[in-house]
Amino acid sequence: MNALGRHFLIELWSADNLDRPDLGEEALVEVVRATGATLLDTRFIPFPNGGYSGVCILAESHISIHTWPEHGYAAVDYFSCGPVDCELAIRYLEEKFGAECVESKEVERGVLAPAVGSRSSSAYVPARGVFPSQWREAAL
Amino acid sequence: MNALGRHFLIELWSADNLDRPDLGEEALVEVVRATGATLLDTRFIPFPNGGYSGVCILAESHISIHTWPEHGYAAVDYFSCGPVDCELAIRYLEEKFGAECVESKEVERGVLAPAVGSRSSSAYVPARGVFPSQWREAAL
C-alpha cells in the first residue's frame, strides 16, 4: 500500500495579518523552505474584503492559503508528493500568523495497492478500500 | 452553524491525457465556467515524468490538479467559498479525462457556530465540535 501524495488541511483561527498578502506570501515561502520543498512559482491575489488567496506551486505539489480576516480565519493546504514535516509547517504557520488555535487533518491522496492477481497492466491498482467509510460513502 | 468554504477532494483513476497540461488547463477552465465560478488566474507547470501541476485561482478560492500519468491518476481539489455543483464538476472532469473511476470527498472549511454566551467579540466562534472524530483526534 502506497500513497502518491500527502495532503494536510490546516485551519488557523484567531490569526493575525490575514489582510496582508505580502506577509502571507513571506510566511508560506518560509514554510516551503523550512520543510525542504522546492518552490516553483507563487501567486497571491487580494480581495476587496481585505482577505486574499495565495498559492505556491512546488516541485512536490502545492501550498495554498485563503483568508477571512473578518473571522480571524485562514485555510491552508499543504499537498506534497514528498515527505513533509507537518508539525514543523504548523509551528511556522502558528507563529507567523499568531494563530491561537490550529487544527490539521492529513488525507492520503492516490492510495495504491499491489495488483496481486489483477489483470491490470500496472503493478498497482487503486486501493479504494483503504479510505475511511465516509470516503466510500461519498464515492460517486 | 456555517462553513466559510466547501472543499471537494476528487480522485480520478484510469484517466487519460494526464501528460497534457494544455488539455488539463482547458478542462479546469471549463469546470470553472460550468460551475459559475470566476477565474482570476491560471498556472500550469509540466514535470519531467510527464505529469503536471496546475492551479486556477478563483474569486471563490481555487481549483488545483496534480497528475501521475504513470498511474493514470490525478488529484483535483475544488475549494470554494461560494455554492458549487460538485456533481457537475465531477461529470466534466470524468468526461474530459476519460476517467473510469472517480471518488470525491467534501470537507467543510472554517466551520463557525454562533457565539452564544461567549465573551468573543465576534458573532461566531470556531465550531470545533462539528468535525468528525478523526479531525478532533488530529487536532494539534
Side-chain angles (χ1 to χ4, degrees):
Chain A
M1 207 152 63
N2 194 19
L4 297 174
R6 298 173 71 197
H7 186 164
F8 298 95
L9 297 90
I10 302 166
E11 310 269 291
L12 306 179
W13 289 103
S14 301
D16 300 323
N17 294 321
L18 299 180
D19 56 353
R20 293 280 306 272
D22 56 329
L23 295 180
E25 183 167 3
E26 187 181 297
L28 261 60
V29 168
E30 279 196 38
V31 170
V32 170
R33 287 183 181 143
T35 54
T38 303
L39 184 65
L40 299 180
D41 199 7
T42 68
R43 187 77 171 96
F44 281 68
I45 297 179
F47 292 112
N49 73 338
Y52 63 87
S53 286
V55 178
C56 298
I57 299 185
L58 312 176
E60 296 82 6
S61 286
H62 78 263
I63 298 186
S64 65
I65 184 168
H66 304 288
T67 74
W68 281 259
E70 68 275 29
H71 293 293
Y73 169 76
V76 177
D77 286 80
Y78 195 155
F79 188 143
S80 176
C81 59
V84 177
D85 184 341
C86 180
E87 290 194 17
L88 179 63
I90 287 174
R91 280 201 301 276
Y92 263 85
L93 292 168
E94 197 168 11
E95 181 190 326
K96 288 287 172 184
F97 292 99
E100 291 178 16
C101 172
V102 181
E103 289 184 290
S104 79
K105 161 72 177 163
E106 178 182 352
V107 178
E108 290 190 321
R109 305 293 296 267
V111 179
L112 302 166
V116 178
S118 165
R119 288 180 297 173
S120 168
S121 59
S122 166
Y124 289 90
V125 295
R128 299 179 62 186
V130 301
F131 288 129
S133 60
Q134 68 271 28
W135 276 80
R136 293 198 298 277
E137 288 161 14
L140 297 179
Chain B
M1 206 152 63
N2 195 20
L4 296 174
R6 300 173 70 197
H7 186 164
F8 298 95
L9 297 90
I10 302 165
E11 309 269 291
L12 306 180
W13 289 103
S14 300
D16 301 322
N17 294 321
L18 300 179
D19 57 353
R20 293 282 306 273
D22 55 328
L23 295 180
E25 182 166 3
E26 186 181 296
L28 261 60
V29 168
E30 279 196 38
V31 170
V32 170
R33 288 184 180 143
T35 54
T38 303
L39 184 66
L40 299 180
D41 198 7
T42 69
R43 187 78 171 96
F44 281 68
I45 297 179
F47 292 111
N49 73 339
Y52 63 87
S53 287
V55 178
C56 298
I57 299 185
L58 313 176
E60 297 82 6
S61 287
H62 77 264
I63 299 186
S64 65
I65 183 169
H66 304 288
T67 73
W68 282 259
E70 68 275 29
H71 293 293
Y73 168 76
V76 177
D77 286 80
Y78 194 155
F79 188 144
S80 176
C81 60
V84 177
D85 184 341
C86 181
E87 291 196 16
L88 179 63
I90 287 175
R91 280 201 301 277
Y92 263 86
L93 292 168
E94 198 169 9
E95 181 189 326
K96 288 285 171 186
F97 292 98
E100 290 178 15
C101 172
V102 182
E103 290 185 288
S104 79
K105 161 72 177 163
E106 178 181 353
V107 178
E108 291 189 322
R109 305 293 296 268
V111 179
L112 303 166
V116 179
S118 165
R119 287 180 298 173
S120 167
S121 59
S122 165
Y124 289 90
V125 296
R128 298 178 63 185
V130 302
F131 288 130
S133 59
Q134 68 270 27
W135 276 79
R136 293 198 298 276
E137 287 161 14
L140 297 179

